[in-house]
Amino acid sequence: MAAVRQRSSDSANVPAVYTVHHANATRLQILLPASARSETFTVQLENEPPIPDIRPQGAIGGLYLELTFPPGTLHEMHYRVTLDSLSEHYELSFRVAVE
């Protein structure tokens, strides 16, 4: 999944669908744009408490955020996610299918 700066024309994009197994933990990796800085982010999944102080992994130009959710955390629905740091704001969306 890749984070992007949201533009009004992007609203028609169809979100990707990811299948998760209800009994397994889910690892979510979010690729940051090449211009992103290596600073901590707060990750906010719609209708969930914010997750602060997530440090990017990887090297500049290939940074990503990684989060692991316990089994049963992600439900079959559409998620909007915001990523905020001191200097950057990104949004993305995806759907989850549960098996």
Side-chain angles (χ1 to χ4, degrees):
M1 183 172 337
V4 295
R5 292 189 189 277
Q6 192 74 23
R7 294 182 176 88
S8 60
S9 62
D10 293 341
S11 61
N13 290 344
V14 176
V17 177
Y18 298 96
T19 301
V20 301
H21 192 277
H22 71 280
N24 295 338
T26 302
R27 184 175 64 184
L28 181 66
Q29 293 181 329
I30 304 169
L31 181 63
L32 297 172
S35 62
R37 298 184 180 137
S38 185
E39 55 190 10
T40 60
F41 282 82
T42 296
V43 178
Q44 174 78 54
L45 272 75
E46 190 173 22
N47 300 321
E48 296 291 332
I51 306 166
D53 302 322
I54 303 298
R55 292 201 172 278
Q57 299 180 36
I60 299 295
L63 293 172
Y64 63 95
L65 302 177
E66 182 171 293
L67 301 112
T68 301
F69 296 96
T73 302
L74 297 179
H75 303 285
E76 193 152 324
M77 62 181 279
H78 175 260
Y79 285 91
R80 289 183 45 85
V81 182
T82 58
L83 312 173
D84 288 297
S85 69
L86 290 176
S87 62
E88 299 172 294
H89 173 84
Y90 302 105
E91 296 181 3
L92 60 130
S93 63
F94 63 96
R95 289 194 61 78
V96 168
V98 179
E99 51 178 46

